[in-house]
Amino acid sequence: MTFRLTLTVNGEPRAIELDDPRVTLLDLLRERLDLTGSKKGCDRGQCGACTVLVDGRRVNSCLALAVSLEGADILTIEGLAQGDALHPVQSAFIDHDGFQCGFCTPGQIMSAVGLIREGHAGDDPERVREAMSGNLCRCGAYIGITQAVLDAQARMAGSAQGGAA
């Protein structure tokens, strides 16, 4: 039996045929669409390395069945930058050394983007740490990650105010 679904992945409409309804979004992205930025860490939704945005919400793609996402808009780390211009969160992670080995970084960045878009980042480091607690970093770059999220939030809020004037 073949399952057909249509998704928008990083702004590009995709028609996909699956022969197995158990294919996760993570496996679809990595193995069938060659978008390997989202990492397979625990494959149980506990580490956050596979975080992507689905219709603007943070989702552990290892837990989401691809067939359940008909018509969804998926944003992965590969679709975040605009050409050579990095997203403000990506720039902030570089500026604040919000990564070491880099394995968790795509999931951390996507979770941070979702957090900021949700309007939950605020300016409280403890609030950011709590909201990012589903994304683990084995290297312990949490201070840089928290600083990067706070800085990106401030940059994005400032550019939004500047654009509204």
Side-chain angles (χ1 to χ4, degrees), residues 37-87:
S38 302
K39 302 302 183 211
K40 187 177 272 198
C42 67
D43 215 18
R44 294 182 177 158
Q46 297 175 343
C47 73
C50 66
T51 304
V52 298
L53 300 183
V54 176
D55 295 330
R57 294 177 305 121
R58 297 179 284 171
V59 169
N60 289 334
S61 61
C62 71
L63 296 179
L65 292 176
V67 296
S68 70
L69 298 171
E70 171 63 35
D73 184 19
I74 314 294
L75 181 62
T76 71
I77 192 73
E78 291 91 348
L80 198 55
Q82 299 296 314
D84 290 336
L86 294 178
H87 187 278

Side-chain angles (χ1 to χ4, degrees), residues 122-144:
D123 59 2
D124 178 16
E126 185 58 35
R127 185 178 189 175
V128 169
R129 282 191 288 276
E130 177 65 28
M132 294 286 292
S133 66
N135 292 81
L136 303 179
C137 173
R138 292 181 183 176
C139 299
Y142 294 114
I143 292 172

Side-chain angles (χ1 to χ4, degrees), residues 29 34 65-66 72 81 99 121 144-145 157 159 162:
L29 294 170
D34 293 322
L65 292 176
F99 54 91
I145 291 167
S159 67

Side-chain angles (χ1 to χ4, degrees), residues 68-123:
S68 70
L69 298 171
E70 171 63 35
D73 184 19
I74 314 294
L75 181 62
T76 71
I77 192 73
E78 291 91 348
L80 198 55
Q82 299 296 314
D84 290 336
L86 294 178
H87 187 278
V89 173
Q90 291 172 307
S91 295
F93 265 69
I94 292 168
D95 294 345
H96 293 280
D97 294 325
F99 54 91
Q100 287 182 30
C101 80
F103 186 82
C104 72
T105 305
Q108 296 277 2
I109 289 173
M110 294 309 295
S111 187
V113 170
L115 173 65
I116 292 168
R117 286 183 179 177
E118 292 162 9
H120 298 300
D123 59 2

Side-chain angles (χ1 to χ4, degrees), residues 138-161:
R138 292 181 183 176
C139 299
Y142 294 114
I143 292 172
I145 291 167
T146 301
Q147 291 171 341
V149 174
L150 292 168
D151 183 31
Q153 159 69 17
R155 289 182 197 186
M156 293 169 73
S159 67
Q161 289 176 354

Side-chain angles (χ1 to χ4, degrees), residues 5-9 12-16 29 32-35:
L5 68 147
T6 304
L7 302 170
T8 301
V9 180
E12 182 180 329
R14 295 305 236 338
I16 299 161
L29 294 170
R32 300 181 188 203
L33 300 179
D34 293 322
L35 297 170

